[in-house]
């Protein structure tokens, strides 16, 4: 039996987020669309299989039990006297430390804490941006994972604003490449299905207006414009609603 952790290049105690990030990074290099060699194709097959096992809680548990049974001592256990990095971050109030605390918690099975801290910082610190404190690669990977967590918790406005940053960064500095459709699909799902009636019309309008600049295509843009028209009508702004409806018809024709 192959070591799935070794194939993905992660530790035995890697979190789900770390496993997902490692898979994305390796898949970009080994994907058949990026390389046509038979050797690379076989590596990609092994990578996908390893990811399927480790990304499923039950399969991962069975794998750990069978593969690591002979390793009674977990060499990844931390010393009881080791430096508590999270405690150190938690005691600090500067934006850099709070940003790093968010991603630290995200990587250590503390998703609820990560989301709560992100929400608090976004609300209490004008202009707070995670991207300021990380490399583009780290922000785009971990930021997308955080956006997924925000969607799961129905924090749709914050999820879209974070996805918008990732999309704009991708356009200026290609990174996701093969996986960028996954980012766009999540953002489109939020815009189409999770704003109207779930957040204030003013906030929803802000999202749809921003979306028109993100390259979702004419069909989606027309959809957003119709959503905007409905919101403006609910707010009593019939004139602006008509403008949105006319624009939606124009780009749909």
């Amino acid at each position: 039996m192959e070591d799935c952790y070794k194939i993905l290049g992660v530790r035995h105690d890697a979190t789900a987020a770390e496993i997902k990030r490692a898979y994305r990074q390796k898949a970009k290099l080994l994907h058949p669309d990026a390389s046509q060699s038979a050797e690379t194709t076989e590596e990609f097959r092994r990578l996908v299989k390893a990811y399927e096992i480790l990304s499923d809680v039950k399969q991962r548990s069975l794998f750990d039990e069978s593969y690591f049974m002979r390793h009674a001592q977990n060499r990844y256990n931390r010393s009881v006297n080791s430096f508590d990095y999270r405690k150190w971050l938690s005691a600090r109030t500067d934006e850099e430390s709070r940003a790093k605390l968010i991603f630290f918690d995200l990587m250590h099975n503390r998703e609820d804490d990560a989301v709560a801290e992100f929400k608090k910082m976004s609300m209490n610190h004008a202009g707070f941006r995670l991207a300021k404190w990380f490399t583009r690669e780290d922000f785009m990977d971990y930021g997308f994972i955080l956006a997924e967590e925000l969607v799961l918790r129905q924090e749709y406005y914050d999820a879209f604003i974070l996805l918008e940053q990732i999309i704009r960064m991708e356009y200026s500095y290609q990174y996701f490449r093969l996986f960028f459709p996954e980012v766009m699909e999540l953002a489109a799902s939020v815009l189409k299905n999770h704003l109207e009636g779930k957040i204030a019309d003013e906030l929803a309008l802000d999202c749809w207006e921003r979306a028109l600049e993100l390259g979702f295509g004419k069909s989606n843009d027309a959809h957003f414009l119709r959503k905007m028209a409905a919101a403006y009508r609910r707010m009593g702004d019939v004139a602006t609603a008509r403008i949105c409806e006319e624009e939606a018809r124009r780009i749909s024709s």
Side-chain angles (χ1 to χ4, degrees):
M1 183 187 299
E2 290 192 276
D3 186 346
C4 294
Y5 295 97
K6 185 175 181 180
I7 292 172
L8 281 162
V10 297
R11 305 183 314 275
H12 173 222
D13 61 349
T15 65
E18 288 172 321
I19 288 169
K20 182 181 290 187
R21 187 194 188 207
Y23 170 69
R24 284 200 184 109
Q25 289 182 321
K26 287 206 167 188
K28 290 169 194 169
L29 302 175
L30 300 176
H31 196 283
D33 290 346
S35 174
Q36 300 296 325
S37 72
E39 181 180 354
T40 301
T41 300
E42 175 59 21
E43 285 187 63
F44 182 72
R45 185 196 65 78
R46 291 168 57 234
L47 179 71
V48 170
K49 182 62 178 177
Y51 177 68
E52 288 176 348
I53 291 172
L54 297 187
S55 61
D56 181 272
V57 174
K58 185 175 181 180
Q59 288 194 68
R60 182 178 181 181
S61 177
L62 291 172
F63 175 80
D64 287 349
E65 183 178 350
S66 60
Y67 191 86
F68 293 99
M69 187 166 52
R70 67 179 184 270
H71 301 290
Q73 298 298 322
N74 186 345
R75 56 180 175 165
Y76 296 99
N77 283 345
R78 294 181 176 179
S79 166
V80 293
N81 296 319
S82 63
F83 173 64
D84 190 332
Y85 182 56
R86 187 180 189 280
K87 184 177 180 180
W88 182 80
L89 286 175
S90 298
R92 300 173 66 86
T93 58
D94 61 284
E95 287 194 13
E96 180 178 3
S97 295
R98 305 316 290 183
K100 290 181 177 179
L101 177 63
I102 291 168
F103 279 176
F104 180 89
D105 281 347
L106 193 66
M107 295 294 103
H108 291 82
N109 297 315
R110 301 180 68 120
E111 292 89 348
D112 287 341
D113 291 328
V115 169
E117 183 65 26
F118 176 72
K119 289 279 294 176
K120 184 178 74 173
M121 292 299 295
S122 298
M123 184 179 300
N124 297 332
H125 296 259
F128 175 71
R129 289 174 62 88
L130 287 170
K132 179 179 179 180
W133 306 108
F134 301 95
T135 65
R136 284 182 170 185
E137 292 86 351
D138 282 348
F139 167 71
M140 292 170 79
D141 269 331
Y142 298 145
F144 181 61
I145 294 169
L146 179 59
E148 291 178 314
E149 293 294 334
L150 286 163
V151 171
L152 286 174
R153 289 158 179 78
Q154 301 182 8
E155 300 287 353
Y156 299 120
Y157 180 77
D158 293 299
F160 173 72
I161 296 302
L162 193 54
L163 287 166
E164 180 195 15
Q165 294 176 36
I166 295 168
I167 292 167
R168 290 186 183 278
M169 193 171 286
E170 174 73 11
Y171 286 149
S172 66
Y173 170 81
Q174 192 179 69
Y175 175 70
F176 273 107
R177 299 195 298 276
L178 296 168
F179 294 97
F180 190 52
E182 185 179 348
V183 179
M184 295 295 281
E185 286 169 13
L186 180 60
S189 176
V190 170
L191 290 161
K192 291 180 177 180
N193 308 313
H194 299 302
L195 297 182
E196 191 172 15
K198 297 177 181 176
I199 65 174
D201 280 335
E202 291 83 357
L203 292 178
L205 283 168
D206 179 51
C207 293
W208 291 320
E209 287 174 359
R210 290 169 179 262
L212 295 174
E213 303 176 355
L214 298 180
F216 283 98
K218 290 184 178 181
S219 176
N220 282 321
D221 286 351
H223 186 91
F224 303 150
L225 283 162
R226 287 191 288 270
K227 292 276 193 184
M228 291 169 63
Y232 278 119
R233 285 189 180 278
R234 286 193 295 271
M235 296 167 62
D237 189 344
V238 177
T240 305
R242 287 174 178 167
I243 292 172
C244 292
E245 290 164 349
E246 290 173 3
E247 182 64 11
R249 284 194 292 270
R250 185 188 70 79
I251 65 177
S252 296
S253 60

